[in-house]
Amino acid sequence: MNSTFPKIAPPVTDERPVSDTRHGFTRVDEFAWLRAENWQEVFRDPSVLDPAIRDHLNAENDYQKALMADTADLRQVLFQEMKGRIKEDDSSVPMKDGPFAYGSSFKKGGEQPRYFRTPRDGGEEDIILDGDAEAEGKPYFRIGGVDHSADHRRLLWAFDDKGSEFFTLRVRELSDGKDLPELVPDTGGSGVWNADGDGFFYTRLDQNHRPSKIFFHALGSEHASDRLVYEESDPGFFMSVGGTRSNEWILIGINDHETTEYRLLSAKDPLAAPRPVQPRETGLQYDLEEGGDIFFILTNADGAKDFKIMTAPASDPGRANWTELVAHEPGRLILSLLSFKDFLVRLERKDGLPRIVVRDRASGEEHMISFEEEAFSLGLSGSYEYDTDTMRFSYSSMTTPAQLFDYNMRSRERTLLKTQEVPSGHDAADYVTRRLMAPSHDGELVPISLIHHRDTPLDGTAPCLLYGYGSYGIAIPASFNTNCLSLVDRGFVYAIAHIRGGKDKGYAWYEDGKRAKKQNTFLDFIAAANHLVGERYTAHDRIVAQGGSAGGMLMGAVANMAPDAFGGVIAEVAFVDVLTTMLDDTLPLTPPEWPEWGNPIASVEDYRTIAAYSPYDNVGAHDYPPILAVAGLTDPRVTYWEPAKWVARLRARKKGDNPVLFKINMDSGHAGASGRFSRLEEIAFNYAFALKIAGKASAAPFGRTT
């Protein structure tokens, strides 16, 4: 692959070695100084960052800008293409709740969503929250949860204006559109009303960004006097609070990556102490879905690895009272439940594909909603109402734009509410989608979903963007993606590797890609690259690998293990300093992450396992392909210094002339830019990098000339 970058010297990062000895092993980190000692304060106020670190990060941005300067016109073209595929004044289909229907929309040119409501059966829109107005004058702004009270009088909404994910909660009177003077800072981003609508429950984050306490805020009071409802003493557990659609219950969810506990209290009695549903047992997972006088319980109890459905009386829902409703079926992973007065709906995955099953609660009769395409993505869209025969779901494939349906569970009538509009035009017949199975190192078959233009030659000459994630059991759906068409229309094959560490092929697929078996994740991705080459879709020097967050760790690992397998690497908010982070229990996500990666503080075996693949620890004297690392200064999930250190060590140790670029957004966090169009500019930058190293920077889309 011909990568044409100007010969500009990269920033030189000072080396200030710091040693750390654990379990008899000593590691030296020459770039540890890039971690700001006051990182907690930086998350809240980026201006307090150490000037020496700021100067270094600014120098990195100057370097990547210089290397990518010749793509400025291309980036603008890509941005306009992607923007042209978005309906600028798009609007959701309002969802009914009592006398109103609630939805969201964008105005032409707007970056932020607007939230509105109409009379239940249609009528004039009343804008109840205008994100563009709230974001005015702020370099970063993101709306979190938005929730109306059961009596439709008030709106509870959250915002983050730093990118640090410390959200502030506000309350708006819907009668006049004015916010109450009270502010509740440092929350997890949402809250839930009590039954009377005169107060709400929320999660407060501590200084280490951990959701350790649930509070109740009574309207009209100071947040400093809010009542502590529950405090979680174990820093290894996440915590959240939510409500049920009937407004009967408040649910406090406590979990790590393998264990669950719920605590329950009546929404009508906010002063009550929450009672445990089933006290935590290591490895026991369960979720609750209301069902009137019962709860439906989705659980892996009794060895149900792919989950089963139980019921229990709402008055006493402990495990001793669980009764089986839908038995465990190995290989059929039940993902989620949605219950109604007369029906129970479940979203499940079997043979790598999703499906929706509707169950009549009275008769037990079940039916499946059928679809015609070979590979597709499904989603349950929720409901505000419990006593209804109508549920809502979404459907798309890599070639079919997203569709939203209302489905009558009694009559089985399907009503198309909306099809995603592509204003610049989209003809599904121009594209081909395939599902391949790549044999991995141990014989397991790794699914690959891909899309390419029908005119793309499949003789090994096409470039390919290969995307992967492979952690936390997250499955990457084969859904419609308008952005990637800018690559596909220029001859790229766009492929998703459904590697182990996700639940794409069931819960066992996740277990085979975590902790001691984490290497399977990386080997699966390399196997996917090899298979695409073997099937003549591309060539190794024409594959650009891409992943973000834990997928960025994947990028760092495969770059170390098989640098010759890829022509380029894009690593966004990359979790690359895994060992150092998992050894630091003061960081926001470290204790809750130990079940996923292992605890190297307590276990020498876990230390060795992580040390064997941690990208930062395994940077070697390889001829790496061109690498683009992307980060956000206020990211509390993957702290900015991880990719900053990784880039510095790559430059210090690698062979060859291929550049390593580091692009850091000084005004955002883990999710990147907050506006919908600002985010497209970031994607355009990444795609310009891929096109540049593929020698396609001047290529016109099929059917067009430059």
Side-chain angles (χ1 to χ4, degrees):
M1 185 175 288
N2 178 23
S3 58
T4 307
F5 290 91
K7 299 295 183 182
I8 300 174
V12 176
T13 312
D14 291 345
E15 297 191 14
R16 307 174 191 175
V18 175
S19 64
D20 179 73
T21 301
R22 310 287 180 106
H23 305 295
F25 301 99
T26 298
R27 299 158 61 239
V28 176
D29 188 348
E30 62 275 32
F31 303 115
W33 66 272
L34 288 170
R35 167 181 159 152
E37 293 183 2
N38 63 335
W39 58 268
Q40 291 102 329
E41 289 78 13
V42 172
F43 285 168
R44 298 172 183 271
D45 181 5
S47 69
V48 302
L49 180 67
D50 182 335
I53 298 174
R54 181 177 296 278
D55 288 346
H56 175 75
L57 298 179
N58 285 333
E60 289 284 8
N61 273 336
D62 290 342
Y63 176 66
Q64 55 87 2
K65 287 176 184 176
L67 263 62
M68 293 290 288
D70 62 341
T71 66
D73 291 342
L74 172 62
R75 299 198 307 264
Q76 185 59 29
V77 169
L78 294 171
F79 170 75
Q80 292 298 337
E81 284 179 8
M82 291 186 284
K83 185 179 179 183
R85 298 189 194 104
I86 295 176
K87 189 172 187 291
E88 286 202 43
D89 54 352
D90 199 11
S91 178
S92 70
V93 179
M95 191 173 286
K96 295 177 180 179
D97 185 19
F100 298 101
Y102 291 82
S104 62
S105 64
F106 286 92
K107 64 183 179 185
K108 232 175 186 178
E111 291 273 12
Q112 301 288 338
R114 301 182 303 175
Y115 294 85
F116 67 86
R117 71 180 180 186
T118 67
R120 179 182 179 91
D121 295 317
E124 185 177 351
E125 290 186 2
D126 176 20
I127 302 298
I128 56 179
L129 178 64
D130 185 337
D132 286 313
E134 301 296 337
E136 191 171 352
K138 297 176 174 143
Y140 181 94
F141 187 82
R142 177 184 167 198
I143 294 176
V146 177
D147 184 33
H148 59 271
S149 57
D151 59 12
H152 305 278
R153 293 174 54 201
R154 299 184 178 101
L155 190 75
L156 178 64
W157 66 283
F159 70 89
D160 167 23
D161 58 6
K162 298 288 189 303
S164 59
E165 299 180 43
F166 283 102
F167 285 85
T168 298
L169 286 169
R170 299 213 69 169
V171 175
R172 176 163 298 186
E173 293 284 0
L174 293 178
S175 58
D176 60 11
K178 294 181 179 178
D179 287 327
L180 300 180
E182 57 211 77
L183 297 171
V184 181
D186 299 340
T187 78
S190 63
V192 57
W193 290 102
N194 67 336
D196 292 335
D198 56 7
F200 54 86
F201 299 85
Y202 66 93
T203 307
R204 183 178 295 171
L205 305 180
D206 64 20
Q207 66 174 359
N208 287 346
H209 210 276
R210 292 179 186 147
S212 58
K213 296 177 181 178
I214 303 291
F215 285 89
F216 177 75
H217 177 79
L219 295 187
S221 65
E222 293 292 329
H223 73 84
S225 63
D226 288 351
R227 185 178 76 86
L228 177 63
V229 177
Y230 180 76
E231 180 173 6
E232 176 53 49
S233 59
D234 189 335
F237 281 80
F238 300 99
M239 189 163 57
S240 61
V241 63
T244 59
R245 282 172 293 139
S246 66
N247 299 304
E248 289 288 329
W249 301 103
I250 301 297
L251 302 174
I252 297 173
I254 308 162
N255 70 281
D256 62 14
H257 292 294
E258 62 185 16
T259 302
T260 311
E261 178 178 293
Y262 274 96
R263 290 177 177 257
L264 187 68
L265 70 155
S266 169
K268 298 175 182 176
D269 187 6
L271 300 181
R275 55 189 173 96
V277 173
Q278 174 59 36
R280 69 193 71 169
E281 301 174 19
T282 300
L284 176 65
Q285 300 179 50
Y286 65 97
D287 279 318
L288 299 179
E289 175 71 7
E290 68 173 334
D293 60 353
I294 65 170
F295 279 110
F296 294 103
I297 301 167
L298 179 62
T299 181
N300 67 346
D302 310 311
K305 182 175 291 189
D306 288 320
F307 290 78
K308 60 182 177 179
I309 302 173
M310 314 287 279
T311 63
S315 58
D316 189 5
R319 186 174 179 182
N321 295 323
W322 292 3
T323 301
E324 185 173 275
L325 181 71
V326 178
H328 175 243
E329 181 184 309
R332 179 200 62 187
L333 178 64
I334 304 177
L335 299 166
S336 62
L337 300 177
L338 188 61
S339 76
F340 300 88
K341 180 175 178 290
D342 295 325
F343 298 94
L344 177 67
V345 182
R346 66 180 187 264
L347 178 64
E348 57 189 36
R349 185 181 296 112
K350 188 172 183 180
D351 300 325
L353 289 176
R355 60 191 194 183
I356 295 173
V357 180
V358 179
R359 180 186 182 95
D360 186 296
R361 289 180 56 177
S363 69
E365 180 186 0
E366 295 187 348
H367 70 271
M368 195 180 307
I369 306 176
S370 60
F371 305 94
E372 295 180 358
E373 289 189 275
E374 181 179 327
F376 50 84
S377 171
L378 291 174
L380 295 179
S381 300
S383 171
Y384 285 128
E385 297 182 324
Y386 176 72
D387 187 0
T388 178
D389 289 344
T390 302
M391 57 87 71
R392 185 170 289 184
F393 70 88
S394 60
Y395 172 91
S396 75
S397 74
M398 295 186 83
T399 56
T400 303
Q403 297 174 322
L404 189 68
F405 293 89
D406 266 353
Y407 183 78
N408 188 300
M409 296 174 283
R410 196 173 303 278
S411 68
R412 306 188 184 184
E413 180 183 1
R414 188 183 313 187
T415 303
L416 177 62
L417 300 174
K418 179 182 178 182
T419 297
Q420 178 182 354
E421 293 184 45
V422 183
S424 60
H426 174 73
D427 186 350
D430 287 340
Y431 304 96
V432 178
T433 185
R434 289 282 184 269
R435 192 168 180 87
L436 310 180
M437 302 301 285
S440 195
H441 64 286
D442 56 359
E444 287 283 1
L445 296 178
V446 180
I448 304 172
S449 300
L450 64 83
I451 182 174
H452 64 80
H453 196 279
R454 65 182 180 183
D455 294 335
T456 297
L458 302 180
D459 57 3
T461 62
C464 172
L465 190 138
L466 179 59
Y467 180 86
Y469 188 75
S471 291
Y472 305 115
I474 295 173
I476 305 301
S479 55
F480 190 64
N481 175 359
T482 59
N483 295 330
C484 76
L485 296 179
S486 286
L487 293 179
V488 173
D489 285 348
R490 289 172 171 81
F492 264 72
V493 175
Y494 182 87
I496 301 168
H498 303 282
I499 53 184
R500 275 175 280 189
K503 293 177 185 169
D504 305 73
K505 292 177 70 175
Y507 200 85
W509 200 244
Y510 168 44
E511 290 184 320
D512 279 348
K514 65 184 289 194
R515 298 194 68 159
K517 298 181 179 180
K518 192 63 201 170
Q519 292 283 359
N520 287 334
T521 301
F522 317 133
L523 294 169
D524 283 357
F525 191 81
I526 295 168
N530 292 338
H531 190 66
L532 288 167
V533 172
E535 294 295 305
R536 305 276 288 167
Y537 281 95
T538 187
H540 280 298
D541 65 348
R542 306 191 69 73
I543 298 175
V544 179
Q546 183 184 24
S549 196
M553 176 201 65
L554 167 70
M555 295 299 101
V558 300
N560 288 333
M561 295 168 66
D564 294 337
F566 307 99
V569 173
I570 301 172
E572 298 183 88
V573 289
F575 179 35
V576 283
D577 195 8
V578 184
L579 187 54
T580 302
T581 293
M582 288 297 103
L583 286 167
D584 186 349
D585 59 7
T586 69
L587 290 174
L589 294 183
T590 293
E593 298 288 86
W594 286 331
E596 179 77 15
W597 312 106
N599 182 350
I601 299 174
S603 166
V604 64
E605 290 79 11
D606 288 349
Y607 184 100
R608 288 192 176 113
T609 295
I610 298 171
Y613 68 76
S614 177
Y616 185 63
D617 292 278
N618 288 279
V619 171
H622 307 303
D623 188 0
Y624 289 91
I627 293 174
L628 169 63
V630 181
L633 178 62
T634 55
D635 186 349
R637 298 172 185 263
V638 177
T639 51
Y640 75 85
W641 58 82
E642 288 201 35
K645 290 165 51 180
W646 179 53
V647 165
R649 183 171 279 184
L650 279 165
R651 293 204 191 110
R653 296 187 181 181
K654 75 179 186 69
K655 297 189 298 184
D657 297 326
N658 287 324
V660 181
L661 289 70
F662 184 34
K663 180 176 183 287
I664 180 165
N665 190 325
M666 303 296 280
D667 295 312
S668 78
H670 195 69
S674 56
R676 59 173 176 161
F677 299 132
S678 299
R679 177 58 184 154
L680 290 183
E681 291 175 345
E682 295 183 341
I683 297 171
F685 187 95
N686 294 344
Y687 283 3
F689 176 82
L691 287 161
K692 182 179 176 68
I693 62 179
K696 289 270 192 177
S698 60
F702 287 112
R704 278 185 269 168
T705 57
T706 53

